[in-house]
């Protein structure tokens, strides 16, 4: 039940022969009789992006806002971790103090 089952590799059937060797042939270059006009350049189907000064200002403003929001979130998370660590340390000191004062009474 817990043994892995390996796939069985099927054996080839029949006789396998290697492909026939290809003999090299001579390459003949033909000279065109009439001059061929160059093909027109392919036109891209995608629209081009043109940035106006207003669009640049909007992009810079949006990027600045994103950086400020992400920075504020990260700083608040770091502050939450720091406050939690400090409160746990204070709780540990209070509990230690209570335990040692109980031990001194007897």
């Amino acid at each position: 039940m817990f043994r892995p089952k390996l796939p069985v590799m099927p054996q080839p059937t029949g006789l396998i022969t290697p492909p026939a060797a290809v003999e090299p042939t001579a390459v003949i270059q033909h000279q065109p009789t009439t001059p061929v006009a160059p093909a027109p350049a392919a036109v891209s189907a995608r629209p081009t992006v043109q940035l106006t000064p207003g669009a640049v200002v909007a992009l810079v403003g949006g990027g600045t806002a994103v950086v400020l929001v992400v920075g504020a979130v990260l700083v608040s998370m770091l502050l939450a971790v720091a406050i939690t660590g400090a409160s746990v340390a204070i709780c540990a000191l209070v509990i230690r103090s209570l335990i040692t004062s109980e031990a001194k009474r007897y």
Side-chain angles (χ1 to χ4, degrees):
M1 179 175 161
F2 294 109
R3 289 187 172 193
K5 294 183 181 181
L6 300 175
V8 178
M9 188 70 171
Q11 296 297 324
T13 58
L15 188 59
I16 299 176
T17 59
V22 178
E23 294 186 20
T25 58
V27 177
I28 301 172
Q29 294 182 354
H30 295 284
Q31 295 292 333
T33 56
T34 58
V36 178
V43 179
S44 176
R46 297 183 301 175
T48 58
V49 177
Q50 295 179 353
L51 293 177
T52 60
V56 172
V57 170
L59 284 174
V60 169
T64 303
V66 167
V67 167
L68 289 176
V69 168
V70 169
V73 168
L74 291 177
V75 167
S76 65
M77 288 172 64
L78 180 64
L79 188 60
V81 170
I83 290 173
T84 303
S87 64
V88 168
I90 291 173
C91 289
L93 288 176
V94 169
I95 291 173
R96 181 178 163 195
S97 173
L98 290 173
I99 290 174
T100 54
S101 67
E102 286 290 324
K104 287 182 181 179
R105 286 187 185 176
Y106 296 110

